[in-house]
C-alpha cells in the first residue's frame, strides 16, 4: 500500500453550520474523526493541502495521520463532501484506526497482460463489471490496487472473484456469491457481421432495389408537379 499521508490539523472550537462557513471562507476544511470507541473530534484542515492530497488519486484508500499539535491520530478517510458548483472540498469524515483494526474499503482493479489475451488480440473488448472490489483489509495492509491477469482469456470468458488471489491481510467483503468482475465480449461490428452470414449480400441487394424504386417514385412526382405549373 502507499505510504501513510500526513495532514496537519487544528481543533475546532465551535461546531455548527455558521462556524463551518466561516472556516471555509478562511481557506479551511471542517472535518471530524470518529470511531475507535472514543469520542468524535472536530477539526479543520488547510484546504490547499487537502486538495493536493486528493489529487494524488489514492487518498480514499490511504492511511492518513492527522497531526494535532504533536499528537498523531491514525485514520482512514471515509467520506469527502464537495461543493456542487465549485467542486471544493467542504467536509471530510475520518475513521480512527486501531493498529490491529480490520476495515472495509473499495480497492480499484487494474488489468494486466492484455497483449497475452487471444480474445483481445482478435478484437474482443474487455467489459468491466466492477471497477472496484469491496475488501475487508487489515488497516496496515491496505493495497493500492488489485491486479487481474487476463493472460489466455478468450471471447466469451468471464473473470470471477474466485479466480483472484488477494493480497495477504485482505479478503472479499462479499462472501455469498462468486460475483463477476469482467467479461470478454465480441465487438458490435463483429457480432453484426457474424449475424448476417450468407444472406448478408442478398439483403443488401433488396435494400438497394427499394432505394431505387423510392427514388423513381420521387422523380415521377416532381415531374408531375412541374407539368401542372
Amino acid at each position: 500500500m502507499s505510504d501513510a499521508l500526513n495532514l496537519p490539523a487544528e481543533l475546532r472550537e465551535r461546531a455548527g453550520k455558521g462556524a463551518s462557513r466561516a472556516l471555509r471562507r478562511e481557506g479551511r476544511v471542517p472535518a471530524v474523526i470518529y470511531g475507535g470507541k472514543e469520542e468524535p473530534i472536530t477539526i479543520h484542515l488547510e484546504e490547499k493541502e487537502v486538495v493536493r492530497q486528493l489529487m494524488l488519486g489514492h487518498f480514499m484508500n490511504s492511511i492518513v495521520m492527522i497531526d494535532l499539535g504533536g499528537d498523531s491520530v491514525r485514520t482512514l478517510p471515509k467520506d469527502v463532501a464537495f461543493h456542487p458548483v465549485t467542486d471544493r472540498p467542504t467536509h471530510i469524515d475520518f475513521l480512527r484506526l486501531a493498529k490491529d483494526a480490520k476495515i472495509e474499503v473499495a480497492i480499484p482493479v487494474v488489468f494486466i497482460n492484455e497483449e497475452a489475451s487471444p480474445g483481445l488480440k482478435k478484437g474482443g473488448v474487455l467489459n468491466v463489471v466492477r471497477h472496484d472490489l469491496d475488501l475487508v483489509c487489515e488497516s496496515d495492509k491496505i493495497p493500492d490496487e488489485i491486479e487481474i491477469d487476463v493472460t489466455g482469456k478468450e471471447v466469451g470468458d468471464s473473470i470471477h472473484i474466485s479466480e483472484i488471489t488477494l493480497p495477504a491481510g485482505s479478503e472479499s467483503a462479499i462472501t455469498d456469491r462468486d460475483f463477476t468482475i469482467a467479461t470478454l465480449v465480441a465487438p458490435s461490428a463483429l457480432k453484426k457481421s457474424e449475424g448476417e452470414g450468407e444472406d448478408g449480400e442478398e439483403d443488401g441487394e433488396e435494400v438497394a432495389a427499394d432505394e431505387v424504386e423510392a427514388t423513381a417514385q420521387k422523380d415521377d412526382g416532381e415531374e408531375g408537379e412541374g407539368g401542372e405549373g
Side-chain angles (χ1 to χ4, degrees), residues 109 129-130 132-135 158-164 166 172-182:
V109 298
V129 179
R130 289 178 177 266
D132 302 284
L133 297 182
D134 294 325
L135 303 181
S158 296
I159 302 171
H160 297 89
I161 184 63
S162 59
E163 301 175 48
I164 309 305
L166 297 174
S172 176
I174 301 173
T175 58
D176 61 342
R177 62 189 184 278
D178 188 18
F179 60 85
T180 301
I181 300 171

Side-chain angles (χ1 to χ4, degrees), residues 73-96:
V73 183
R74 192 165 178 265
T75 73
L76 181 76
K78 293 301 290 182
D79 185 64
V80 181
F82 295 92
H83 190 281
V85 177
T86 64
D87 214 28
R88 294 169 57 185
T90 58
H91 191 275
I92 304 178
D93 290 344
F94 292 97
L95 176 65
R96 185 187 287 107

Side-chain angles (χ1 to χ4, degrees), residues 196-210:
E196 288 176 354
E198 296 178 356
D199 296 333
E201 186 177 349
E202 294 177 2
D203 292 344
E205 290 175 354
E206 290 175 3
V207 170
D210 291 343

